[in-house]
Coordinates of all heavy atoms in Angstrom, one line a residue:
M24 N 139.9 79.3 157.1 CA 141.1 78.5 157.4 C 142.3 79.4 157.1 O 142.4 80.0 156.1 CB 141.1 77.3 156.5 CG 142.2 76.3 156.9 SD 142.2 74.8 155.9 CE 140.6 74.1 156.1
E25 N 143.3 79.4 158.0 CA 144.5 80.2 157.8 C 145.4 79.5 156.7 O 145.2 78.3 156.4 CB 145.2 80.3 159.1 CG 144.5 81.1 160.1 CD 145.3 81.3 161.4 OE1 146.5 81.4 161.3 OE2 144.7 81.5 162.5
A26 N 146.2 80.3 156.2 CA 147.1 79.9 155.0 C 147.8 78.6 155.3 O 147.8 77.7 154.4 CB 148.0 81.0 154.6
P27 N 148.5 78.5 156.4 CA 149.3 77.2 156.6 C 148.4 76.0 156.7 O 148.7 74.9 156.1 CB 150.0 77.4 157.9 CG 150.1 78.9 158.1 CD 148.9 79.4 157.5
A28 N 147.2 76.1 157.3 CA 146.3 75.0 157.4 C 145.8 74.7 156.0 O 145.6 73.5 155.6 CB 145.2 75.3 158.3
E29 N 145.4 75.7 155.2 CA 145.0 75.5 153.8 C 146.0 74.8 153.0 O 145.7 73.9 152.2 CB 144.5 76.8 153.2 CG 144.1 76.7 151.7 CD 142.8 75.9 151.6 OE1 142.0 75.8 152.5 OE2 142.6 75.4 150.4
T30 N 147.3 75.2 153.1 CA 148.4 74.6 152.4 C 148.5 73.1 152.8 O 148.7 72.3 151.9 CB 149.7 75.3 152.7 OG1 149.6 76.7 152.3 CG2 150.9 74.7 152.0
L31 N 148.4 72.8 154.0 CA 148.5 71.4 154.5 C 147.3 70.6 153.9 O 147.5 69.5 153.4 CB 148.5 71.3 156.0 CG 148.5 69.9 156.6 CD1 149.7 69.1 156.1 CD2 148.4 70.0 158.1
A32 N 146.1 71.2 154.0 CA 144.9 70.5 153.5 C 145.0 70.2 152.0 O 144.7 69.1 151.5 CB 143.6 71.3 153.8
V33 N 145.4 71.1 151.2 CA 145.6 71.0 149.8 C 146.7 69.9 149.5 O 146.5 69.1 148.6 CB 145.9 72.3 149.1 CG1 146.4 72.1 147.7 CG2 144.7 73.2 149.1
A34 N 147.8 70.0 150.2 CA 148.9 69.0 150.0 C 148.4 67.6 150.3 O 148.7 66.7 149.5 CB 150.1 69.4 150.8
I35 N 147.6 67.4 151.3 CA 147.1 66.1 151.7 C 146.1 65.6 150.6 O 146.2 64.5 150.1 CB 146.4 66.1 153.0 CG1 147.5 66.2 154.1 CG2 145.6 64.9 153.3 CD1 147.0 66.5 155.5
E36 N 145.2 66.5 150.2 CA 144.2 66.1 149.2 C 144.9 65.8 147.8 O 144.5 64.9 147.1 CB 143.2 67.2 149.0 CG 142.3 67.4 150.1 CD 141.5 68.7 150.1 OE1 141.9 69.6 149.4 OE2 140.5 68.7 150.8
D37 N 146.0 66.5 147.5 CA 146.7 66.2 146.2 C 147.5 64.9 146.3 O 147.6 64.3 145.3 CB 147.6 67.4 145.9 CG 146.9 68.6 145.4 OD1 145.7 68.6 145.2 OD2 147.5 69.7 145.4
A38 N 148.0 64.6 147.5 CA 148.9 63.4 147.6 C 148.1 62.1 147.7 O 148.6 61.0 147.3 CB 149.8 63.6 148.8
I39 N 146.9 62.1 148.3 CA 146.2 60.9 148.6 C 145.9 60.0 147.4 O 146.2 58.8 147.4 CB 144.9 61.2 149.4 CG1 145.2 61.6 150.8 CG2 143.9 60.0 149.3 CD1 144.1 62.0 151.6
P40 N 145.3 60.5 146.3 CA 145.0 59.6 145.2 C 146.2 58.8 144.6 O 146.2 57.6 144.4 CB 144.4 60.5 144.1 CG 143.9 61.7 144.8 CD 144.9 61.9 146.0
Q41 N 147.4 59.5 144.5 CA 148.6 58.9 144.0 C 149.1 57.8 145.0 O 149.6 56.8 144.6 CB 149.7 59.9 143.6 CG 149.3 60.8 142.5 CD 148.7 62.1 143.0 OE1 148.3 62.3 144.2 NE2 148.6 63.1 142.1
W42 N 149.0 58.2 146.3 CA 149.4 57.3 147.3 C 148.6 56.0 147.3 O 149.2 54.9 147.4 CB 149.3 58.0 148.7 CG 149.6 57.0 149.8 CD1 150.8 56.6 150.2 CD2 148.6 56.4 150.6 NE1 150.6 55.7 151.3 CE2 149.3 55.6 151.5 CE3 147.2 56.4 150.7 CZ2 148.6 54.8 152.4 CZ3 146.6 55.7 151.6 CH2 147.3 54.9 152.5
V43 N 147.3 56.1 147.1 CA 146.5 54.9 147.1 C 146.9 54.0 146.0 O 147.1 52.8 146.2 CB 145.0 55.2 147.0 CG1 144.1 54.0 146.8 CG2 144.5 56.0 148.3
V44 N 147.0 54.5 144.8 CA 147.4 53.7 143.6 C 148.8 53.1 143.9 O 149.0 51.9 143.6 CB 147.4 54.6 142.3 CG1 148.0 53.8 141.2 CG2 146.0 55.0 142.0
A45 N 149.7 53.9 144.3 CA 151.1 53.4 144.6 C 151.1 52.3 145.6 O 151.8 51.3 145.5 CB 152.0 54.5 145.0
A46 N 150.3 52.4 146.7 CA 150.2 51.4 147.7 C 149.6 50.1 147.2 O 150.2 49.0 147.5 CB 149.4 51.9 148.9
V47 N 148.6 50.2 146.4 CA 148.0 49.0 145.8 C 149.0 48.3 144.9 O 149.2 47.1 145.0 CB 146.7 49.4 145.1 CG1 146.2 48.2 144.2 CG2 145.6 49.8 146.0
V48 N 149.6 49.0 144.0 CA 150.6 48.4 143.1 C 151.8 47.8 143.9 O 152.2 46.7 143.6 CB 151.1 49.5 142.1 CG1 152.3 49.0 141.3 CG2 150.0 49.9 141.2
R49 N 152.3 48.5 144.9 CA 153.4 48.0 145.7 C 153.1 46.7 146.4 O 153.8 45.7 146.4 CB 153.9 49.1 146.6 CG 155.1 48.7 147.4 CD 155.6 49.8 148.4 NE 154.6 50.0 149.4 CZ 153.8 51.1 149.5 NH1 153.9 52.1 148.6 NH2 152.9 51.3 150.5
V50 N 152.0 46.7 147.1 CA 151.6 45.6 147.9 C 151.2 44.4 147.0 O 151.6 43.3 147.3 CB 150.5 45.9 148.9 CG1 149.9 44.7 149.6 CG2 150.9 47.0 149.9
A51 N 150.5 44.6 146.0 CA 150.1 43.5 145.1 C 151.4 42.9 144.5 O 151.5 41.7 144.4 CB 149.2 44.0 144.0
T52 N 152.3 43.7 144.0 CA 153.5 43.2 143.4 C 154.3 42.4 144.4 O 154.8 41.3 144.1 CB 154.4 44.4 142.9 OG1 153.6 45.1 141.9 CG2 155.6 44.0 142.2
R53 N 154.4 42.9 145.6 CA 155.2 42.2 146.7 C 154.5 40.8 147.0 O 155.2 39.9 147.4 CB 155.3 43.0 148.0 CG 156.3 44.1 147.9 CD 156.4 44.8 149.2 NE 157.3 45.9 149.1 CZ 157.3 46.9 150.0 NH1 156.6 46.9 151.0 NH2 158.2 47.9 149.8
A54 N 153.2 40.8 146.8 CA 152.5 39.5 147.0 C 152.5 38.6 145.8 O 151.9 37.5 145.8 CB 151.0 39.9 147.4
G55 N 153.3 39.0 144.8 CA 153.4 38.2 143.6 C 152.2 38.3 142.6 O 152.1 37.5 141.7
R56 N 151.5 39.4 142.8 CA 150.3 39.6 141.9 C 150.6 40.8 141.1 O 150.7 41.9 141.6 CB 149.1 39.8 142.8 CG 147.8 40.1 142.1 CD 147.0 38.9 141.6 NE 145.9 39.3 140.9 CZ 144.7 39.6 141.5 NH1 144.6 39.5 142.8 NH2 143.7 40.0 140.7
E57 N 150.7 40.7 139.8 CA 150.9 41.8 138.9 C 149.6 42.6 138.8 O 148.6 42.0 138.4 CB 151.3 41.3 137.5 CG 151.7 42.4 136.5 CD 152.9 43.2 137.0 OE1 153.8 42.6 137.6 OE2 152.9 44.4 136.7
P58 N 149.6 43.9 139.2 CA 148.3 44.7 139.1 C 147.8 44.8 137.7 O 148.6 45.2 136.8 CB 148.7 46.0 139.7 CG 150.0 45.8 140.4 CD 150.7 44.6 139.7
D59 N 146.6 44.4 137.4 CA 146.0 44.5 136.1 C 145.3 45.9 136.0 O 145.2 46.6 137.0 CB 145.1 43.4 135.8 CG 144.0 43.2 136.8 OD1 143.7 44.1 137.5 OD2 143.4 42.1 136.8
A60 N 144.8 46.2 134.9 CA 144.1 47.5 134.6 C 142.9 47.6 135.5 O 142.6 48.7 136.0 CB 143.6 47.6 133.2
E61 N 142.2 46.6 135.8 CA 141.0 46.6 136.7 C 141.4 47.0 138.1 O 140.7 47.8 138.8 CB 140.3 45.3 136.7 CG 139.0 45.3 137.5 CD 138.3 44.0 137.4 OE1 138.5 43.2 136.4 OE2 137.5 43.7 138.3
M62 N 142.5 46.4 138.6 CA 142.9 46.7 140.0 C 143.4 48.2 140.0 O 143.1 48.9 141.0 CB 144.1 45.8 140.4 CG 144.5 45.9 141.8 SD 145.9 44.9 142.3 CE 145.5 43.3 141.8
V63 N 144.2 48.6 139.0 CA 144.6 50.0 139.0 C 143.5 51.0 139.0 O 143.5 52.0 139.7 CB 145.7 50.2 137.9 CG1 146.0 51.7 137.8 CG2 146.9 49.4 138.1
E64 N 142.5 50.7 138.1 CA 141.3 51.6 138.1 C 140.6 51.6 139.4 O 140.1 52.6 139.8 CB 140.4 51.1 136.9 CG 139.2 52.1 136.7 CD 139.6 53.5 136.5 OE1 140.6 53.8 135.9 OE2 138.9 54.4 137.1
A65 N 140.4 50.4 140.0 CA 139.8 50.4 141.3 C 140.6 51.2 142.3 O 140.0 51.9 143.2 CB 139.7 49.0 141.8
A66 N 141.9 51.2 142.2 CA 142.7 52.0 143.1 C 142.5 53.5 142.9 O 142.5 54.3 143.8 CB 144.2 51.6 143.0
R67 N 142.4 53.8 141.6 CA 142.2 55.3 141.2 C 140.9 55.7 141.8 O 140.8 56.8 142.4 CB 142.2 55.4 139.7 CG 143.6 55.4 139.2 CD 143.6 55.8 137.7 NE 144.9 55.7 137.1 CZ 145.2 54.9 136.1 NH1 144.3 54.1 135.6 NH2 146.5 54.8 135.7
A68 N 139.9 54.9 141.7 CA 138.5 55.3 142.2 C 138.6 55.4 143.7 O 138.0 56.4 144.3 CB 137.5 54.3 141.7
A69 N 139.2 54.5 144.3 CA 139.4 54.5 145.8 C 140.2 55.7 146.2 O 139.8 56.4 147.3 CB 140.0 53.2 146.3
G70 N 141.2 56.1 145.5 CA 142.0 57.3 145.8 C 141.1 58.5 145.7 O 141.3 59.4 146.6
Q71 N 140.2 58.6 144.8 CA 139.4 59.8 144.7 C 138.4 59.8 145.9 O 138.1 60.9 146.5 CB 138.6 59.8 143.4 CG 139.5 60.1 142.2 CD 140.3 61.4 142.4 OE1 139.8 62.4 142.8 NE2 141.6 61.3 142.1
R72 N 137.8 58.7 146.3 CA 137.0 58.6 147.5 C 137.7 59.0 148.7 O 137.3 59.8 149.5 CB 136.4 57.2 147.6 CG 135.3 56.9 146.6 CD 134.5 55.6 147.0 NE 135.4 54.5 147.2 CZ 135.9 53.7 146.3 NH1 135.6 53.9 145.0 NH2 136.6 52.6 146.6
D73 N 138.9 58.5 148.8 CA 139.8 58.8 149.9 C 140.1 60.3 150.0 O 140.0 60.9 151.1 CB 141.1 58.0 149.8 CG 142.0 57.9 151.0 OD1 141.7 58.6 152.0 OD2 143.0 57.1 151.0
R74 N 140.4 60.8 148.9 CA 140.7 62.3 148.8 C 139.5 63.1 149.3 O 139.7 64.0 150.1 CB 141.0 62.7 147.4 CG 141.2 64.2 147.2 CD 141.4 64.6 145.8 NE 141.8 66.0 145.8 CZ 142.1 66.7 144.8 NH1 142.1 66.1 143.6 NH2 142.4 67.9 144.9
V75 N 138.3 62.7 148.9 CA 137.1 63.5 149.3 C 136.9 63.3 150.8 O 136.7 64.2 151.6 CB 135.9 63.1 148.5 CG1 134.6 63.6 149.0 CG2 136.1 63.5 147.0
E76 N 136.8 62.0 151.2 CA 136.4 61.7 152.6 C 137.5 62.1 153.6 O 137.2 62.8 154.6 CB 136.1 60.2 152.7 CG 134.8 59.9 151.9 CD 134.5 58.4 151.9 OE1 135.1 57.6 152.7 OE2 133.8 58.0 150.9
V77 N 138.7 61.7 153.4 CA 139.8 62.0 154.3 C 140.1 63.5 154.2 O 140.4 64.2 155.3 CB 141.0 61.1 154.1 CG1 142.2 61.6 154.9 CG2 140.7 59.7 154.4
G78 N 140.1 64.1 153.0 CA 140.3 65.5 152.9 C 139.3 66.3 153.6 O 139.7 67.3 154.3
A79 N 138.1 65.9 153.6 CA 137.1 66.6 154.4 C 137.3 66.5 155.9 O 137.1 67.5 156.6 CB 135.7 66.1 154.0
A80 N 137.7 65.4 156.3 CA 138.0 65.2 157.7 C 139.2 66.1 158.2 O 139.1 66.7 159.3 CB 138.2 63.7 158.1
V81 N 140.2 66.1 157.4 CA 141.4 66.9 157.7 C 141.0 68.4 157.7 O 141.3 69.1 158.6 CB 142.5 66.7 156.7 CG1 143.6 67.7 156.8 CG2 143.1 65.3 156.9
R82 N 140.2 68.8 156.7 CA 139.8 70.2 156.7 C 138.9 70.6 157.9 O 139.1 71.6 158.5 CB 139.0 70.5 155.4 CG 139.9 70.7 154.2 CD 139.1 71.0 152.9 NE 140.0 71.2 151.8 CZ 140.6 72.4 151.6 NH1 140.4 73.4 152.4 NH2 141.5 72.5 150.6
A83 N 138.0 69.7 158.2 CA 137.2 69.9 159.4 C 138.0 70.1 160.7 O 137.8 71.0 161.5 CB 136.2 68.8 159.6
L84 N 139.0 69.2 160.8 CA 139.9 69.3 161.9 C 140.7 70.6 161.9 O 140.8 71.3 163.0 CB 140.9 68.1 161.9 CG 142.0 68.2 163.0 CD1 141.4 68.0 164.4 CD2 143.1 67.2 162.7
L85 N 141.3 71.0 160.8 CA 142.1 72.2 160.7 C 141.2 73.5 160.9 O 141.8 74.5 161.2 CB 142.9 72.2 159.4 CG 143.9 71.1 159.2 CD1 144.5 71.1 157.9 CD2 144.9 71.2 160.3
E86 N 140.0 73.4 160.6 CA 139.1 74.5 160.8 C 138.6 74.7 162.3 O 138.1 75.7 162.7 CB 137.8 74.4 159.9 CG 138.2 74.6 158.5 CD 137.1 74.3 157.5 OE1 136.0 73.8 158.0 OE2 137.2 74.6 156.3
T87 N 138.9 73.7 163.1 CA 138.6 73.7 164.5 C 139.7 74.4 165.3 O 140.9 74.1 165.0 CB 138.4 72.2 165.0 OG1 137.4 71.6 164.2 CG2 138.0 72.2 166.5
D88 N 139.3 75.2 166.3 CA 140.3 75.8 167.1 C 141.2 74.8 167.7 O 140.8 73.7 168.1 CB 139.6 76.6 168.2 CG 140.6 77.3 169.1 OD1 141.1 76.7 170.1 OD2 140.8 78.5 168.8
V89 N 142.5 75.1 167.7 CA 143.5 74.1 168.2 C 143.2 73.6 169.6 O 143.5 72.4 169.9 CB 144.9 74.7 168.1 CG1 145.2 75.8 169.1 CG2 146.0 73.6 168.2
D90 N 142.7 74.4 170.5 CA 142.4 74.0 171.8 C 141.2 73.0 171.9 O 141.0 72.4 172.9 CB 142.1 75.2 172.7 CG 143.3 76.0 172.9 OD1 144.4 75.5 173.0 OD2 143.2 77.3 173.1
E91 N 140.4 73.0 170.8 CA 139.2 72.1 170.7 C 139.5 70.8 170.0 O 138.6 69.9 169.9 CB 138.0 72.9 170.1 CG 137.6 74.1 170.9 CD 137.1 73.8 172.3 OE1 136.4 72.8 172.5 OE2 137.5 74.5 173.2
Q92 N 140.6 70.7 169.3 CA 140.9 69.5 168.5 C 141.2 68.3 169.4 O 141.9 68.4 170.4 CB 142.2 69.8 167.6 CG 141.9 70.8 166.6 CD 143.1 71.1 165.7 OE1 144.2 70.4 165.9 NE2 143.0 72.1 164.8
R93 N 140.6 67.2 169.1 CA 140.7 66.0 169.9 C 141.5 64.9 169.2 O 141.7 63.8 169.6 CB 139.4 65.4 170.2 CG 138.5 66.4 171.0 CD 139.2 66.6 172.4 NE 138.4 67.6 173.2 CZ 139.0 68.8 173.6 NH1 140.2 69.0 173.3 NH2 138.3 69.6 174.2
T94 N 142.1 65.3 168.0 CA 142.9 64.4 167.2 C 143.9 65.3 166.5 O 144.0 66.5 166.7 CB 142.1 63.5 166.3 OG1 142.9 62.5 165.8 CG2 141.4 64.3 165.2
N95 N 144.6 64.7 165.5 CA 145.6 65.4 164.7 C 145.5 64.9 163.3 O 145.0 63.8 163.0 CB 147.0 65.3 165.3 CG 147.5 63.9 165.4 OD1 147.6 63.3 164.3 ND2 147.7 63.4 166.6
P96 N 146.1 65.7 162.3 CA 146.0 65.2 160.9 C 146.6 63.9 160.7 O 146.1 63.1 159.9 CB 146.8 66.3 160.2 CG 146.6 67.5 161.0 CD 146.6 67.0 162.4
L97 N 147.7 63.5 161.3 CA 148.3 62.2 161.1 C 147.4 61.1 161.5 O 147.3 60.1 160.8 CB 149.7 62.2 161.8 CG 150.5 60.9 161.7 CD1 150.7 60.6 160.2 CD2 151.8 60.9 162.4
S98 N 146.7 61.3 162.6 CA 145.8 60.3 163.1 C 144.7 60.0 162.0 O 144.3 58.9 161.7 CB 145.1 60.7 164.4 OG 144.2 59.8 164.8
I99 N 144.2 61.1 161.4 CA 143.2 61.0 160.4 C 143.8 60.3 159.2 O 143.2 59.4 158.6 CB 142.7 62.4 160.0 CG1 141.8 62.9 161.1 CG2 141.8 62.3 158.7 CD1 141.4 64.4 161.0
L100 N 145.0 60.6 158.8 CA 145.7 60.0 157.6 C 145.9 58.5 157.8 O 145.9 57.7 156.9 CB 147.0 60.7 157.3 CG 146.8 62.1 156.7 CD1 148.2 62.8 156.5 CD2 146.1 62.0 155.3
R101 N 146.2 58.1 159.1 CA 146.4 56.7 159.3 C 145.2 55.9 158.9 O 145.3 54.7 158.5 CB 146.8 56.5 160.8 CG 148.2 56.8 161.1 CD 148.5 56.5 162.6 NE 149.9 56.9 162.8 CZ 150.2 57.7 163.8 NH1 149.3 58.2 164.7 NH2 151.5 58.0 164.0
G102 N 144.0 56.5 159.1 CA 142.8 55.8 158.7 C 142.6 55.6 157.2 O 141.7 54.9 156.8
A103 N 143.4 56.4 156.5 CA 143.2 56.3 155.0 C 143.7 55.0 154.4 O 143.4 54.7 153.3 CB 144.0 57.4 154.4
V104 N 144.4 54.2 155.2 CA 144.8 52.9 154.7 C 143.7 51.9 154.3 O 143.9 51.0 153.6 CB 145.8 52.2 155.7 CG1 147.0 53.0 155.9 CG2 145.1 51.8 156.9
R105 N 142.5 52.2 154.8 CA 141.4 51.3 154.5 C 141.0 51.3 153.0 O 140.5 50.4 152.5 CB 140.1 51.7 155.4 CG 139.5 53.0 155.0 CD 138.3 53.3 156.0 NE 137.6 54.5 155.7 CZ 138.0 55.7 156.2 NH1 139.0 55.8 157.0 NH2 137.3 56.8 155.9
Y106 N 141.4 52.4 152.3 CA 141.0 52.5 150.9 C 141.9 51.5 150.0 O 141.3 50.7 149.3 CB 141.1 53.9 150.4 CG 140.1 54.8 151.1 CD1 140.4 55.5 152.3 CD2 138.8 55.0 150.5 CE1 139.4 56.3 152.9 CE2 137.9 55.7 151.2 CZ 138.2 56.4 152.3 OH 137.2 57.2 153.0
P107 N 143.2 51.6 150.1 CA 144.0 50.6 149.4 C 143.8 49.2 149.9 O 143.8 48.2 149.1 CB 145.4 51.1 149.5 CG 145.5 52.0 150.7 CD 144.1 52.6 150.8
T108 N 143.6 49.1 151.2 CA 143.3 47.7 151.7 C 142.1 47.1 151.1 O 142.1 45.9 150.8 CB 143.2 47.8 153.3 OG1 144.4 48.3 153.8 CG2 142.9 46.5 153.9
Q109 N 141.0 47.9 151.0 CA 139.8 47.4 150.4 C 140.0 46.9 149.0 O 139.5 45.9 148.5 CB 138.7 48.4 150.5 CG 137.3 47.8 150.1 CD 136.9 46.7 151.0 OE1 136.8 46.8 152.2 NE2 136.6 45.5 150.5
V110 N 140.7 47.7 148.2 CA 141.0 47.4 146.8 C 141.8 46.1 146.8 O 141.4 45.2 146.0 CB 141.8 48.5 146.1 CG1 142.3 48.0 144.7 CG2 141.0 49.8 146.0
L111 N 142.8 45.9 147.6 CA 143.6 44.7 147.6 C 142.7 43.5 148.0 O 142.8 42.4 147.4 CB 144.8 44.9 148.5 CG 145.8 45.9 148.1 CD1 146.7 46.3 149.2 CD2 146.6 45.3 146.9
C112 N 141.9 43.7 149.0 CA 141.0 42.6 149.5 C 140.0 42.2 148.4 O 139.8 41.0 148.1 CB 140.2 43.0 150.7 SG 141.2 43.0 152.2
D113 N 139.4 43.2 147.7 CA 138.5 42.9 146.6 C 139.1 42.2 145.5 O 138.5 41.4 144.8 CB 137.8 44.2 146.1 CG 136.9 44.8 147.1 OD1 136.5 44.2 148.1 OD2 136.5 46.0 146.9
A114 N 140.4 42.4 145.3 CA 141.2 41.8 144.2 C 141.7 40.4 144.6 O 142.4 39.7 143.8 CB 142.3 42.7 143.7
G115 N 141.5 40.0 145.8 CA 142.0 38.7 146.3 C 143.5 38.7 146.6 O 144.1 37.6 146.6
V116 N 144.1 39.8 146.8 CA 145.5 39.8 147.1 C 145.7 39.4 148.6 O 145.0 39.9 149.4 CB 146.1 41.3 146.9 CG1 147.6 41.3 147.4 CG2 146.0 41.7 145.4
P117 N 146.5 38.4 148.9 CA 146.7 37.9 150.2 C 147.2 39.0 151.2 O 148.0 39.9 150.8 CB 147.6 36.8 150.1 CG 148.3 36.9 148.8 CD 147.4 37.7 147.9
E118 N 146.8 38.9 152.4 CA 147.3 39.8 153.4 C 148.8 39.7 153.6 O 149.4 38.7 153.6 CB 146.6 39.4 154.8 CG 146.1 40.5 155.6 CD 145.4 40.1 156.8 OE1 144.3 39.5 156.7 OE2 146.0 40.3 157.9
A119 N 149.4 40.9 153.8 CA 150.8 40.9 154.0 C 151.1 40.3 155.4 O 150.4 40.6 156.4 CB 151.3 42.4 154.0
V120 N 152.2 39.6 155.5 CA 152.6 38.9 156.7 C 153.6 39.7 157.5 O 153.6 39.8 158.7 CB 153.1 37.5 156.5 CG1 153.6 36.8 157.8 CG2 152.0 36.7 155.8
G121 N 154.5 40.4 156.8 CA 155.6 41.1 157.4 C 155.8 42.4 156.7 O 155.2 42.7 155.7
R122 N 156.7 43.2 157.2 CA 157.1 44.4 156.6 C 158.6 44.3 156.2 O 159.4 43.7 156.9 CB 156.9 45.6 157.5 CG 155.5 45.7 157.9 CD 155.4 46.7 159.0 NE 155.0 48.0 158.5 CZ 154.8 49.1 159.2 NH1 154.9 49.0 160.5 NH2 154.4 50.2 158.7
D123 N 159.0 45.1 155.2 CA 160.4 45.2 154.9 C 160.9 46.6 155.0 O 160.3 47.5 155.4 CB 160.7 44.6 153.5 CG 159.9 45.3 152.4 OD1 159.2 46.2 152.7 OD2 160.1 44.9 151.3

């Protein structure tokens, strides 16, 4: 993998775990549910799974010749929302109705 691609992959892998925890805390709080230690720990664990799984997918994409790529890193990252979403669902946090 070339240096710019490696830099991008590392940055994504480093950011994902914190993003998952922050997303869970933010959405739960907006829904009127104070995140407890169990929810935060579940978010941390999900963030690590997300880092491994999504990170591997991003790396695989970036290792593919650009002319052979059928998607892009942002498309892969959009799929990462399933991790915080699952934590919120498991904790019984109601679905968000709108965005602010």
Side-chain angles (χ1 to χ4, degrees):
M24 186 180 306
E25 293 186 29
E29 177 67 21
T30 299
L31 178 59
V33 168
I35 288 170
E36 290 169 340
D37 287 349
I39 285 175
Q41 296 94 347
W42 171 78
V43 171
V44 172
V47 167
V48 169
R49 183 180 64 252
V50 172
T52 301
R53 284 183 184 164
R56 174 92 182 271
E57 186 64 33
D59 58 17
E61 185 177 335
M62 188 186 305
V63 172
E64 184 53 39
R67 284 189 185 117
Q71 291 306 315
R72 286 191 308 278
D73 195 350
R74 177 184 186 176
V75 169
E76 294 172 18
V77 172
V81 168
R82 282 182 176 277
L84 173 69
L85 296 175
E86 290 171 351
T87 303
D88 183 272
V89 70
D90 292 328
E91 299 298 318
Q92 293 178 5
R93 299 294 174 242
T94 190
N95 60 62
L97 182 56
S98 178
I99 293 171
L100 287 173
R101 285 184 181 125
V104 300
R105 70 183 180 272
Y106 295 90
T108 299
Q109 189 62 56
V110 172
L111 292 162
C112 287
D113 291 348
V116 175
E118 223 176 288
V120 176
R122 298 170 98 175
D123 53 3

